[in-house]
Amino acid sequence: METSVGIVTTEYAEFDLELRLESGRLLGPITLAYETYGTLNDRRDNAILVTHAWTGDAHAAGRHHPDDRKPGWWDGMIGPGKVLDTDRFFVICSNVIGSCKGSTGPTSINPRNGRPYNLNFPVIMVRDMVRAQVLLIDRLGIDRLVTVMGGSMGAMQALEWGIHYPERVRSIIPIAGTGRTSPMAISLNAVARQAIYNDPLWKKGNYRPEHPPADGLALARAIGHISFLSDASMQMKFGRRFSARDGQFDFFGQFEVERYLEYNGGSFIDKFDTNSFLYLAKALDLYDVAFGFDSRREALSQLQCPSLWFAFTSDWLYPPYQTEEVVEILRELDKPVEYHLIDSAYGHDSFLVEPEKFTPKVVELLDRLTAEK
């Protein structure tokens, strides 16, 4: 019977070192916030790393307090008897560097001057996030992961693990991902950035935490949120319904979809730091699996383990063809690759809304890997 992992605690790993980033800059010391679910076995070979999306965090399952209104962001996936069965696996989720959810990021104190980094924080790439995760996996005494699994930016991390640390992973499961961010996705982030830059409270990143550029961040989040949805999901959820509280000919009257975006953006400003939002958006824009290689083909040739890929029919942020381009190269290279196009109306967010449509294939892979040990 499926049950929750219960009450969980976020832990913090401190690393008194300097990590060399892709930019050439050094970042340190480093803190990584993480949570674990299940038990690491005596052989230390049953660990799974779950990687989060853009504004996600380490709290993937369970609750921090019995009164918490919501559990972790992938609670339906992680726990006894669930897809990532904590009776079998030791599941780890860490917050990425650059974030504001416990790991080192722009809100952290710069040891050189004792003040928050703000825009003195170095530009990071997805590959740098993975380098930091390797420190954590080493600290936990794990040589090899059963799989690295995540959606969106989490899919990028999974692919980077497979390419740069092939000896450390037995498989990867990238969901709703891409091999390189498209001009359209970059343009959406560019508009979101301008919304923040044009907020007078942003002050070139030197805003006071108690007075963030709320209007700019709320608008930036609303722009991003549109890209997570789809025409079909908006039709289902809102249609062309006009807000019941407004008159249709009131100039400032709103459709329900407008009110939803306003609410979603407004609630986000209390949950996430503006500079962290910008730094992670930059990391997404910079993502290209071929960075540092002569081609995508050369990069993907480094992948040795089986990879299980999922794309969603209505995803227009990272549409299926972008996953299929990567899968096709892997097939040409005769790599062990499996791909499934999932029919879903929920756009990019499908991997969070309808996981039951793809999870049976995940269970099949995990069962196969377990049987092969």
Side-chain angles (χ1 to χ4, degrees):
M1 186 175 76
E2 293 187 358
T3 57
S4 170
V5 295
I7 303 300
V8 298
T9 302
T10 303
E11 300 180 73
Y12 301 88
E14 309 278 351
F15 301 94
D16 189 15
L17 49 72
E18 290 187 317
L19 189 69
R20 182 169 294 279
L21 306 174
E22 287 296 318
S23 66
R25 289 185 61 181
L26 298 174
L27 177 65
I30 290 173
T31 298
L32 284 183
Y34 71 100
E35 291 185 8
T36 64
Y37 321 101
T39 303
L40 188 62
N41 64 18
D42 292 339
R43 296 185 303 276
R44 311 184 85 79
D45 64 357
N46 68 329
I48 289 174
L49 178 64
V50 167
T51 47
H52 69 72
W54 184 358
T55 58
D57 56 28
H59 184 41
R63 283 175 163 81
H64 289 147
H65 189 275
D67 296 334
D68 285 353
R69 190 169 63 89
K70 290 183 178 180
W73 55 269
W74 233 3
D75 187 73
M77 293 276 288
I78 302 168
K82 297 184 181 181
V83 177
L84 303 184
D85 186 353
T86 51
D87 288 336
R88 300 169 60 196
F89 301 109
F90 180 63
V91 182
I92 309 155
C93 183
S94 76
N95 184 225
V96 299
I97 56 170
S99 183
C100 56
K101 296 293 188 176
S103 293
T104 301
T107 62
S108 302
I109 298 301
N110 185 341
R112 289 172 177 79
N113 58 23
R115 298 193 296 271
Y117 279 103
N118 294 335
L119 295 197
N120 287 321
F121 194 74
V123 170
I124 58 169
M125 299 183 73
V126 173
R127 196 169 298 169
D128 298 319
M129 300 173 189
V130 170
R131 278 203 184 95
Q133 288 165 356
V134 172
L135 296 175
L136 174 62
I137 299 306
D138 286 346
R139 174 73 59 85
L140 294 173
I142 298 165
D143 291 331
R144 201 172 183 212
L145 295 159
V146 177
T147 197
V148 181
M149 175 181 179
S152 193
M153 189 178 82
M156 299 174 183
Q157 294 168 67
L159 183 55
E160 291 293 298
W161 264 97
I163 287 173
H164 295 278
Y165 301 94
E167 74 286 356
R168 305 296 299 270
V169 290
R170 296 183 62 202
S171 67
I172 60 170
I173 308 176
I175 308 166
T178 180
R180 56 187 177 192
T181 306
S182 71
M184 189 200 74
I186 294 169
S187 68
L188 289 169
N189 283 346
V191 176
R193 271 190 286 275
Q194 288 302 319
I196 292 170
Y197 296 164
N198 290 336
D199 189 321
L201 291 181
W202 185 58
K203 300 179 181 179
K204 295 186 178 180
N206 293 311
Y207 51 86
R208 296 173 64 180
E210 63 269 26
H211 296 296
D215 290 344
L217 180 59
L219 179 54
R221 175 62 174 182
I223 292 166
H225 198 71
I226 293 169
S227 71
F228 305 154
L229 305 176
S230 71
D231 179 60
S233 66
M234 286 190 176
Q235 291 283 2
M236 287 188 293
K237 191 175 181 70
F238 309 107
R240 285 182 46 82
R241 292 191 304 279
F242 210 76
S243 173
R245 73 183 73 175
D246 298 334
Q248 190 167 355
F249 296 103
D250 176 353
F251 183 78
F252 293 102
Q254 293 181 310
F255 287 90
E256 288 289 353
V257 67
E258 292 178 276
R259 284 207 175 277
Y260 172 78
L261 291 172
E262 187 177 85
Y263 170 79
N264 189 275
S267 64
F268 184 69
I269 60 177
D270 295 325
K271 302 174 183 175
F272 214 81
D273 172 66
T274 306
N275 285 339
S276 292
F277 181 90
L278 291 168
Y279 270 89
L280 296 182
K282 177 63 72 173
L284 288 168
D285 290 348
L286 290 173
Y287 186 67
D288 184 347
V289 70
F291 181 81
F293 295 94
D294 289 337
S295 65
R296 279 193 294 177
R297 187 180 182 89
E298 184 192 2
L300 293 167
S301 70
Q302 309 303 307
L303 185 66
Q304 303 301 321
C305 67
S307 57
L308 174 60
W309 297 76
F310 298 100
F312 300 90
T313 53
S314 58
D315 186 349
W316 62 279
L317 180 61
Y318 300 148
Y321 81 85
Q322 294 180 13
T323 294
E324 290 162 5
E325 287 177 347
V326 175
V327 169
E328 183 57 34
I329 294 171
L330 289 172
R331 285 173 174 163
E332 290 173 359
L333 292 168
D334 202 27
K335 300 292 184 179
V337 58
E338 185 179 339
Y339 167 65
H340 299 278
L341 177 60
I342 307 300
D343 185 23
S344 176
Y346 289 98
H348 187 62
D349 269 353
S350 295
F351 76 95
L352 295 171
V353 179
E354 294 188 312
E356 68 278 1
K357 289 192 171 181
F358 66 86
T359 49
K361 296 297 181 182
V362 174
V363 173
E364 284 181 15
L365 174 62
L366 295 178
D367 286 347
R368 194 159 66 242
L369 291 169
T370 303
E372 289 172 358
K373 282 202 300 185

